[in-house]
Amino acid sequence: MEQHKCDWSGVVCRGGKLPLQGYNTVLLFLALASIVFIFVWSTSTSLSSHGYETNKEMKKTSFEPSSIIRRPSSSGSCSCKAKTFNVTSAIEASKLSAIKKRRAEEYRKQLIRETTDLDVVLVNPSNSPLQYPSHGFTVEPLKMTFIPGLGVNAYGREVYKVSLCASHGVIAVDSAPHGQVMAQNQSIHIIATSVDDLNDLLAHVTYTSVVYLLKAGDLVHFTFEDHEAIFPVTIKKPTLPVLYDLGEDINSQVTIAVKTFLRYAELRYLIKTIRERYPDIRIIIADDSLTTEKVEGHNIYQYIMPPAQGWFAGRNLAISQVTTKYFLWVDDDFEFLKETSIEKFVEIMESVPELDVLGGSVDTNRFYFTLEQEEGADGEGGCLSRLHKYHKQLPGFENCVLVDGVVNFFLARTDSARRVGFDPKLNRVGHSEFFMDGLGRLLVASCSGLVVGHQPMHALSKYQKFRHPGKGDENMKLKLHYFKNHLKCVTF
Amino acid sequence: MEQHKCDWSGVVCRGGKLPLQGYNTVLLFLALASIVFIFVWSTSTSLSSHGYETNKEMKKTSFEPSSIIRRPSSSGSCSCKAKTFNVTSAIEASKLSAIKKRRAEEYRKQLIRETTDLDVVLVNPSNSPLQYPSHGFTVEPLKMTFIPGLGVNAYGREVYKVSLCASHGVIAVDSAPHGQVMAQNQSIHIIATSVDDLNDLLAHVTYTSVVYLLKAGDLVHFTFEDHEAIFPVTIKKPTLPVLYDLGEDINSQVTIAVKTFLRYAELRYLIKTIRERYPDIRIIIADDSLTTEKVEGHNIYQYIMPPAQGWFAGRNLAISQVTTKYFLWVDDDFEFLKETSIEKFVEIMESVPELDVLGGSVDTNRFYFTLEQEEGADGEGGCLSRLHKYHKQLPGFENCVLVDGVVNFFLARTDSARRVGFDPKLNRVGHSEFFMDGLGRLLVASCSGLVVGHQPMHALSKYQKFRHPGKGDENMKLKLHYFKNHLKCVTF
């Protein structure tokens, strides 16, 4: 979208350092330099971790004229430890250059979507007579809004002149009771003969964004004499709420979702054990078996896919059909035990509204993990490690921990899980991938005491032949990680 | 999650008004009041539009001690004009009270998910010796990070004492070369005997959040003598990139998605016209016909749903299976014309990375609309109006406008459309609902010149019998809007 730089030519808006004056009884004013630092973090870092170096360097430049300090675009290369999959080497050498180029271009466009002019650090000027909204001024696109909190706290001038200038919006004064207002490009200049008149005018200043985007930002420059300040404007289109009705019992709160392939005996047994405890709960089945059989029953919905279409394709299909706030994911060879309690899951999720996924245990297997990502050097891709640890205990729940991924038995918010999705490109292999795509997008916890059983495996079944992925599948997954997740290596 | 209020008891952190001193040759300092205004907007407004009243009221209180000004929790009731559906009256009177209560509770929990301590406006103190990062300081949960830009610009004291205090993080000093540092609760107090030593110490201050959330905020209080400032800390867990490979031609960029019900003749004809122009493009069919027929062919994937499962359920299923960056939505009774060009859609979308949906025309019908939402009074629900207008021209494309909804022939980013989703609760009726749920979440444009044809309708078909919704369906939709979108009326 178009961008106008804040144009200061011909306008009384100078940054500058006023001489520091020491403690002196004959001094009228202790006028101190007004400085604004803008630290611009290169946008290439904005998709991964933030970090600030020591601000020693900033200290050297403090109280000096406005300057832009650019942080180096990446802090250096990253490397994966131990059992690492070198993702880059999964790509055929002859294709690597073209793929890398496409990936860089896609990454660039993604950054355009995700960053705004507000991805900078602003440091206020000290000892400045300017008052302004340093944080939180938010407007809707194209809508005129009064700017709160503008003022000048200075005395003894014959004439007061201030300027305000924006890049993505128009600044105006709603009325001009006592004073002059001149508009020039995207700036206004206000002149008043008393500080009260000036502040009266400043109380009538409005901002109207000229960009129409869901999320954008602007930086307004506010100057008075040698003082300059910059404050942020958040431009945001409001969303319509999308809420789920929990209804009156577990059946209106949770749907059971399962993907099946060539395991009708196991699937039917699973359903039997579910129905013993939950006679009415909806069960959604995504089925890509080579030859399908009808699986019928009260409140059972079976969806037939093209044969062997795939594991994650089936998972994504199943959750696309859920109408309740939550779904419980189960594999087709699980079995509900006496202790299996969906209500326990819901209780925890409802107590912690920020949670998106809550994992339990399959038999005694309470698998969970965290994912640590590090940025790579320019264009290389990042490094991701899966670790068997947790971030911290879930506050208020001593049997629960906050993690990044869990076992394949979990309750999830339908909206959050759909927002991340199970990538239908993953045919036979996939587990962590959902949580990788969900990193930073899903708040995940794991609790003990939320159990389901696992039916014994039948060797020599048709399923087994398909189940174990070959090198081809693993390679396909790595190639996917290279591009999709902008990685160079993954440690499991 | 837990919340600790910033505890100032026993700590040298007082807000206060210093006497304003006029122009006077014998004055040593023009010490001016340091004030921080915190304007707390009630969280109940945060899910809909922002608005600021004139800051006249703020002007009266400027340059006075810290105060919290609460904006009234809603600006008043809203009403829908003209042809309005009173959503509330669609709910059975006997159930309304219980449903309203559940909705209020769900809304409350949604606000917890969506708001942080940073949903306030901060106004900086004027004429304050404090320097601090007024905007943009961002940290990862639980990770120690240096605070940039902290400083005190004051001279002539025997001793310099500052305090820093947070609510959701621990503040510490990395080292204490020359000075004293005392920690108390979530505050630190720094004492130094020269301003250079003080600023050296301030260059070593770190912040570590104690909350683990995907998105949170903290407000740090920074005090020196009678001066106090508050600056925001954004706590954000970084996301892993999720990118799509556009590959090398239209077939790797776009999938065609269609939902069909009892219209195999039309569907087969549509496919024929697609294949004449696009012999290899993937076509995904979601089929909930009462009796199904196999629809086969190169790169055609048919998914069989439970009979009459529903229109939006089918749409959500179809898009859940897309593996390309974009999908083109078509209805099963469209036909591709000579002029139908998917490449044109892609070209525009690729030029404007922020776009999510791009609509065309069906025959001569280039339907588009905007949606205007207004907040209602407490608990009532909001008002939504659908208007036949546009927001503004798409910059750089004179044949295109920015809107909120389009006709049923559009190209969409797969990830964005899945994030919003087609609500599977909508069986027979639904069009605007996708765009309603997408309001503020999808950037939508409509261009002329992107055309598809429409097959003539066959009267007396089985389809016709199902197609026209009864009062029951309309009522179901209104009840859904009441709860899901927290509305009281909708104008179409």
Side-chain angles (χ1 to χ4, degrees):
Chain A
M1 301 256 164
E2 77 277 19
Q3 283 222 0
H4 300 282
K5 289 230 74 177
C6 214
D7 176 14
W8 289 106
S9 55
V11 161
V12 183
C13 307
R14 292 184 305 277
K17 174 181 173 179
L18 296 176
L20 287 175
Q21 297 178 352
Y23 180 87
N24 188 326
T25 54
V26 301
L27 289 173
L28 299 170
F29 296 95
L30 190 75
L32 296 162
S34 62
I35 307 99
V36 172
F37 286 96
I38 306 172
F39 296 83
V40 177
W41 262 244
S42 162
T43 55
S44 74
T45 68
S46 65
L47 283 189
S48 53
S49 62
H50 306 274
Y52 296 89
E53 294 154 358
T54 174
N55 53 359
K56 269 195 180 143
E57 193 171 79
M58 295 175 209
K59 187 186 81 61
K60 282 201 223 87
T61 55
S62 46
F63 318 138
E64 282 169 12
S66 301
S67 54
I68 295 177
I69 299 174
R70 290 188 182 281
R71 187 181 186 242
S73 58
S74 73
S75 34
S77 196
C78 65
S79 61
C80 296
K81 300 107 197 144
K83 189 175 164 223
T84 294
F85 290 94
N86 185 330
V87 173
T88 312
S89 58
I91 315 279
E92 296 92 324
S94 58
K95 297 185 177 172
L96 182 58
S97 167
I99 290 175
K100 190 173 183 184
K101 196 169 162 212
R102 286 204 304 266
R103 183 179 80 166
E105 177 58 12
E106 212 52 40
Y107 192 71
R108 182 192 69 81
K109 285 179 292 197
Q110 192 65 20
L111 281 168
I112 290 172
R113 286 176 64 80
E114 297 190 5
T115 61
T116 72
D117 283 11
L118 302 188
D119 290 304
V120 295
V121 171
L122 301 174
V123 177
N124 73 306
S126 58
N127 298 311
S128 161
L130 299 174
Q131 182 186 277
Y132 51 90
S134 54
H135 163 82
F137 176 50
T138 304
V139 302
E140 291 182 42
L142 312 181
K143 281 216 172 123
M144 187 177 87
T145 316
F146 282 101
I147 303 179
L150 284 176
V152 171
N153 192 359
Y155 296 84
R157 279 45 169 195
E158 296 283 332
V159 151
Y160 292 82
K161 296 185 189 178
V162 304
S163 298
L164 288 143
C165 156
S167 297
H168 306 305
V170 169
I171 299 187
V173 177
D174 192 39
S175 68
H178 300 285
Q180 282 184 339
V181 178
M182 291 168 297
Q184 178 182 22
N185 300 328
Q186 269 163 265
S187 317
I188 57 162
H189 313 294
I190 298 173
I191 299 175
T193 50
S194 79
V195 76
D196 282 347
D197 285 351
L198 176 65
N199 285 321
D200 254 325
L201 279 162
L202 288 173
H204 286 94
V205 175
T206 62
Y207 175 95
T208 310
S209 84
V210 298
V211 294
Y212 181 85
L213 286 171
L214 300 184
K215 192 182 81 162
D218 203 350
L219 295 170
V220 175
H221 293 245
F222 181 25
T223 50
F224 167 70
E225 295 178 347
D226 286 315
H227 303 281
E228 178 183 357
I230 302 183
F231 63 88
V233 184
T234 299
I235 302 162
K236 196 162 179 257
K237 188 169 165 73
T239 57
L240 197 61
V242 177
L243 310 172
Y244 278 81
D245 186 359
L246 282 172
E248 287 160 22
D249 59 31
I250 198 73
N251 302 310
S252 48
Q253 294 162 1
V254 182
T255 301
I256 295 182
V258 60
K259 155 77 175 56
T260 194
F261 176 75
L262 298 183
R263 295 208 289 198
Y264 285 108
E266 285 85 346
L267 175 65
R268 291 196 164 99
Y269 185 73
L270 165 65
I271 293 172
K272 177 174 176 298
T273 63
I274 292 173
R275 282 287 175 254
E276 278 163 8
R277 298 224 46 224
Y278 297 95
D280 294 309
I281 202 164
R282 178 168 293 200
I283 303 174
I284 286 175
I285 303 163
D287 187 344
D288 67 340
S289 300
L290 304 179
T291 318
T292 55
E293 299 173 21
K294 269 202 191 318
V295 180
E296 290 171 309
H298 163 60
N299 219 6
I300 292 179
Y301 292 82
Q302 181 187 23
Y303 294 76
I304 306 299
M305 305 169 65
Q309 189 61 15
W311 170 220
F312 265 38
R315 299 185 83 176
N316 220 30
L317 189 156
I319 70 168
S320 79
Q321 302 301 294
V322 174
T323 54
T324 49
K325 181 176 179 181
Y326 298 110
F327 68 88
L328 182 75
W329 186 270
V330 294
D331 283 350
D332 59 359
D333 63 344
F334 287 178
E335 55 178 321
F336 268 37
L337 308 169
K338 249 198 344 274
E339 315 79 275
T340 305
S341 164
I342 307 178
E343 288 85 350
K344 278 194 195 169
F345 277 96
V346 175
E347 198 186 319
I348 298 168
M349 289 288 273
E350 284 291 303
S351 307
V352 187
E354 297 97 332
L355 269 184
D356 295 301
V357 179
L358 178 56
S361 315
V362 181
D363 276 343
T364 52
N365 176 17
R366 181 187 164 197
F367 175 60
Y368 59 72
F369 57 89
T370 61
L371 291 165
E372 262 176 39
Q373 60 169 323
E374 279 178 272
E375 227 186 298
D378 263 340
E380 261 191 339
C383 302
L384 189 75
S385 303
R386 189 182 76 182
L387 306 162
H388 184 61
K389 42 190 287 232
Y390 61 87
H391 293 294
K392 67 179 283 203
Q393 189 206 311
L394 181 65
F397 295 87
E398 53 182 21
N399 295 331
C400 303
V401 289
L402 288 157
V403 293
D404 292 317
V406 292
V407 75
N408 246 5
F409 177 59
F410 58 80
L411 193 84
R413 282 184 66 107
T414 303
D415 55 8
S416 306
R418 291 207 282 234
R419 269 196 290 268
V420 172
F422 294 93
D423 187 342
K425 290 191 275 299
L426 291 157
N427 276 20
R428 271 194 266 187
V429 288
H431 177 67
S432 303
E433 289 68 18
F434 172 62
F435 298 106
M436 285 167 69
D437 291 349
L439 191 60
R441 303 178 178 94
L442 295 172
L443 192 66
V444 186
S446 166
C447 298
S448 63
L450 304 170
V451 295
V452 79
H454 198 184
Q455 300 176 44
M457 207 170 285
H458 295 124
L460 301 177
S461 67
K462 256 194 180 159
Y463 173 85
Q464 287 300 328
K465 218 180 71 174
F466 271 86
R467 174 72 176 87
H468 290 287
K471 182 112 178 62
D473 292 296
E474 290 292 344
N475 227 45
M476 190 277 286
K477 211 157 67 85
L478 292 174
K479 286 199 271 199
L480 189 61
H481 288 318
Y482 176 84
F483 199 109
K484 179 169 80 162
N485 304 122
H486 202 263
L487 294 171
K488 75 170 181 179
C489 64
V490 184
T491 307
F492 285 118
Chain B
M1 303 255 163
E2 77 276 19
Q3 282 221 2
H4 300 282
K5 290 230 74 173
C6 213
D7 177 11
W8 289 107
S9 56
V11 161
V12 184
C13 308
R14 293 184 306 275
K17 174 179 169 178
L18 295 177
L20 286 176
Q21 298 179 351
Y23 181 87
N24 188 326
T25 52
V26 303
L27 288 176
L28 299 171
F29 297 95
L30 190 74
L32 296 161
S34 62
I35 307 98
V36 171
F37 285 96
I38 306 171
F39 295 96
V40 176
W41 261 243
S42 162
T43 55
S44 75
T45 67
S46 65
L47 283 187
S48 52
S49 61
H50 306 275
Y52 296 90
E53 295 156 358
T54 173
N55 52 359
K56 266 196 182 143
E57 193 171 79
M58 295 172 209
K59 189 186 79 61
K60 283 203 223 87
T61 55
S62 45
F63 319 138
E64 281 169 11
S66 302
S67 55
I68 294 175
I69 299 175
R70 288 186 184 283
R71 186 180 186 242
S73 56
S74 75
S75 36
S77 196
C78 65
S79 60
C80 296
K81 299 103 199 148
K83 189 177 165 222
T84 294
F85 290 94
N86 185 330
V87 172
T88 311
S89 58
I91 315 279
E92 296 92 323
S94 58
K95 296 185 179 173
L96 182 58
S97 166
I99 289 175
K100 190 173 184 186
K101 195 167 163 213
R102 286 204 304 266
R103 183 180 79 167
E105 176 59 11
E106 210 51 40
Y107 193 70
R108 182 192 70 81
K109 285 179 291 195
Q110 192 63 22
L111 282 169
I112 291 174
R113 286 175 64 81
E114 297 191 7
T115 60
T116 72
D117 284 11
L118 301 188
D119 290 305
V120 294
V121 171
L122 300 175
V123 177
N124 74 305
S126 58
N127 299 310
S128 162
L130 299 174
Q131 183 186 277
Y132 51 91
S134 54
H135 163 82
F137 176 50
T138 305
V139 302
E140 291 183 41
L142 312 181
K143 281 217 172 123
M144 186 175 89
T145 316
F146 281 101
I147 303 179
L150 284 176
V152 171
N153 192 358
Y155 297 83
R157 276 59 163 183
E158 296 282 333
V159 151
Y160 292 81
K161 297 186 190 179
V162 304
S163 298
L164 288 142
C165 156
S167 296
H168 306 305
V170 169
I171 299 187
V173 177
D174 191 39
S175 68
H178 300 286
Q180 281 186 336
V181 178
M182 290 168 297
Q184 179 182 24
N185 301 328
Q186 268 164 265
S187 318
I188 56 161
H189 313 293
I190 297 173
I191 298 175
T193 50
S194 81
V195 75
D196 283 347
D197 285 350
L198 175 66
N199 287 319
D200 255 326
L201 278 163
L202 288 173
H204 286 94
V205 175
T206 63
Y207 176 94
T208 311
S209 84
V210 296
V211 294
Y212 182 85
L213 285 172
L214 301 184
K215 191 183 81 160
D218 202 351
L219 296 169
V220 175
H221 293 244
F222 181 26
T223 50
F224 167 70
E225 295 177 349
D226 285 317
H227 303 281
E228 178 183 359
I230 302 183
F231 63 88
V233 184
T234 299
I235 302 163
K236 197 163 179 257
K237 188 168 165 70
T239 57
L240 197 62
V242 177
L243 310 172
Y244 279 81
D245 186 358
L246 282 172
E248 287 159 23
D249 60 30
I250 199 73
N251 301 311
S252 48
Q253 295 162 359
V254 182
T255 301
I256 295 181
V258 60
K259 155 77 175 57
T260 194
F261 175 74
L262 298 182
R263 297 210 288 199
Y264 286 108
E266 286 84 347
L267 175 65
R268 290 196 164 97
Y269 185 72
L270 165 66
I271 293 172
K272 178 174 178 294
T273 63
I274 293 173
R275 282 286 176 255
E276 279 163 8
R277 297 224 47 225
Y278 298 94
D280 295 308
I281 202 163
R282 178 168 292 202
I283 303 174
I284 285 175
I285 304 162
D287 188 344
D288 69 339
S289 302
L290 304 180
T291 317
T292 56
E293 298 173 21
K294 271 205 191 321
V295 181
E296 291 172 309
H298 163 61
N299 220 7
I300 292 178
Y301 291 83
Q302 181 187 22
Y303 294 77
I304 307 298
M305 305 168 66
Q309 190 62 15
W311 169 220
F312 265 37
R315 298 186 83 177
N316 220 30
L317 189 156
I319 69 169
S320 79
Q321 301 302 295
V322 174
T323 54
T324 49
K325 182 174 178 182
Y326 299 109
F327 68 87
L328 182 75
W329 185 269
V330 294
D331 283 350
D332 59 0
D333 63 345
F334 288 177
E335 55 178 320
F336 269 37
L337 308 169
K338 247 196 349 272
E339 315 80 274
T340 305
S341 165
I342 308 179
E343 289 85 349
K344 277 194 195 169
F345 277 96
V346 174
E347 198 187 317
I348 298 169
M349 291 286 274
E350 285 289 305
S351 307
V352 187
E354 297 96 331
L355 269 185
D356 294 302
V357 179
L358 178 55
S361 315
V362 181
D363 276 344
T364 51
N365 176 17
R366 181 186 164 199
F367 175 60
Y368 59 72
F369 57 90
T370 62
L371 291 165
E372 261 175 40
Q373 60 168 324
E374 278 177 272
E375 228 185 297
D378 264 340
E380 262 191 339
C383 303
L384 190 75
S385 303
R386 189 181 75 182
L387 305 161
H388 184 62
K389 38 189 290 229
Y390 61 87
H391 294 293
K392 69 180 280 202
Q393 188 207 310
L394 181 66
F397 295 87
E398 53 183 20
N399 296 330
C400 304
V401 291
L402 288 156
V403 294
D404 291 317
V406 292
V407 76
N408 246 6
F409 176 59
F410 58 81
L411 194 85
R413 282 184 67 106
T414 304
D415 54 8
S416 306
R418 291 206 282 235
R419 268 196 290 267
V420 172
F422 294 93
D423 187 344
K425 290 191 274 299
L426 290 156
N427 274 22
R428 271 193 267 186
V429 288
H431 177 65
S432 302
E433 289 69 18
F434 172 62
F435 299 106
M436 286 167 68
D437 291 349
L439 191 61
R441 302 178 178 95
L442 295 173
L443 191 66
V444 185
S446 166
C447 298
S448 64
L450 303 171
V451 296
V452 78
H454 198 184
Q455 300 175 44
M457 208 171 284
H458 295 125
L460 303 178
S461 68
K462 258 192 178 159
Y463 172 85
Q464 289 299 329
K465 221 180 68 179
F466 272 86
R467 173 71 177 86
H468 290 287
K471 183 114 178 57
D473 292 295
E474 289 293 343
N475 227 45
M476 189 277 287
K477 210 157 66 85
L478 293 174
K479 285 199 271 199
L480 190 60
H481 288 318
Y482 176 84
F483 199 110
K484 180 169 81 160
N485 304 122
H486 202 263
L487 293 172
K488 75 171 183 180
C489 63
V490 184
T491 307
F492 285 119

